Amino acid sequence: MKFVWYILSFLFFIFVLWQVYGALSNKKYENMETIFLGSLNNIKFQIHKEYTKASVPINGVSISNANGKFSTLANYIFGGNTESSSISMTAPVLYDFNNNSTFSFVMPSHYKQNNLPSPNTGEIFFKTEYKQCIASIQFGGFANDKICQIKYNELKEILVSLKISFNENFTLAVYNSPYQLINRKNEIWIEVKKEEVIKNLNN
């Protein structure tokens, strides 16, 4: 019995070390440069100054439709490009849900579309966002379609109550690697108008 207890204790210790390592590793990832505008009713408003995405198309508005796309983008940043260059991982990864849904890695800030190595597959394309003003709501755990829809509806209801107009499309931002099981961070983003946000924050 003691032997079993020792084994279970050892496995638990390894699990804790693994999770701590995952959390610390995630902090090393570069995050997007943002301007925080303020918070209202448990949602956050901020501006993403500029970022470039490497994206692949997905069908529909389900997270499961991005299955297999992670490896396509991972292959690109690990050297699957015309220069055989390695590109640092950043946080978050993005699922943009709209009529042309995509799964994306955000490129490190020193990369622009004109100096990124070309991918070895035609499935990957690039897009740069400028001064993107968003409202976001945060949640933990592993994201799935059900919780994303709940948080999306919650965010929309708050924006309607604040009389802030918004884009019906939304983005899921996932900040942690799949093997990190604790202290996970996800956000739902909706694009909004900066002028309306500022007006509400000043009231």
Side-chain angles (χ1 to χ4, degrees), residues 44 57 87-88 97 107 113 126 132 147 158 165 184 187:
K44 182 172 64 176
I87 300 171
S88 299
F97 294 120
M107 297 292 95
Q113 289 192 57
F126 303 103
Q132 182 187 50
I147 188 64
I158 295 172
S165 54
R184 295 186 62 81
E187 291 177 333

Side-chain angles (χ1 to χ4, degrees), residues 79-185:
N81 52 70
T82 54
E83 298 177 13
S84 299
S85 299
S86 293
I87 300 171
S88 299
M89 189 73 184
T90 67
V93 297
L94 304 176
Y95 300 76
D96 291 302
F97 294 120
N98 49 54
N99 291 332
N100 297 292
S101 298
T102 58
F103 175 63
S104 307
F105 284 2
V106 177
M107 297 292 95
S109 58
H110 62 275
Y111 281 111
K112 310 300 178 186
Q113 289 192 57
N114 60 3
N115 66 355
L116 277 164
S118 299
N120 291 338
T121 171
E123 189 176 12
I124 297 173
F125 63 96
F126 303 103
K127 182 181 180 182
T128 301
E129 303 283 358
Y130 300 97
K131 297 181 179 179
Q132 182 187 50
C133 186
I134 66 157
S136 67
I137 189 168
Q138 184 177 324
F139 62 99
F142 284 90
N144 57 49
D145 292 332
K146 182 178 180 180
I147 188 64
C148 286
Q149 191 63 50
I150 290 171
K151 291 298 180 180
Y152 171 56
N153 290 338
E154 184 179 340
L155 181 52
K156 285 199 302 180
E157 288 175 6
I158 295 172
L159 292 174
V160 169
S161 71
L162 295 172
K163 298 182 180 179
I164 296 176
S165 54
F166 55 88
N167 190 321
E168 288 287 344
N169 303 326
F170 73 97
T171 297
L172 165 64
V174 177
Y175 287 83
N176 309 99
S177 61
Y179 60 80
Q180 185 176 334
L181 305 181
I182 59 176
N183 197 32
R184 295 186 62 81
K185 175 185 174 182

Side-chain angles (χ1 to χ4, degrees), residues 1-44:
M1 181 65 72
K2 285 186 177 180
F3 177 75
V4 174
W5 187 86
Y6 287 144
I7 292 295
L8 292 176
S9 297
F10 175 74
L11 291 175
F12 178 75
F13 177 70
I14 294 298
F15 171 77
V16 171
L17 285 180
W18 180 38
Q19 294 304 304
V20 170
Y21 172 77
L24 292 176
S25 297
N26 191 67
K27 290 181 179 179
K28 296 178 182 178
Y29 294 158
E30 179 184 340
N31 284 268
M32 284 185 264
E33 186 177 2
T34 62
I35 300 172
F36 178 67
L37 299 177
S39 298
L40 285 170
N41 295 16
N42 296 319
I43 65 174
K44 182 172 64 176

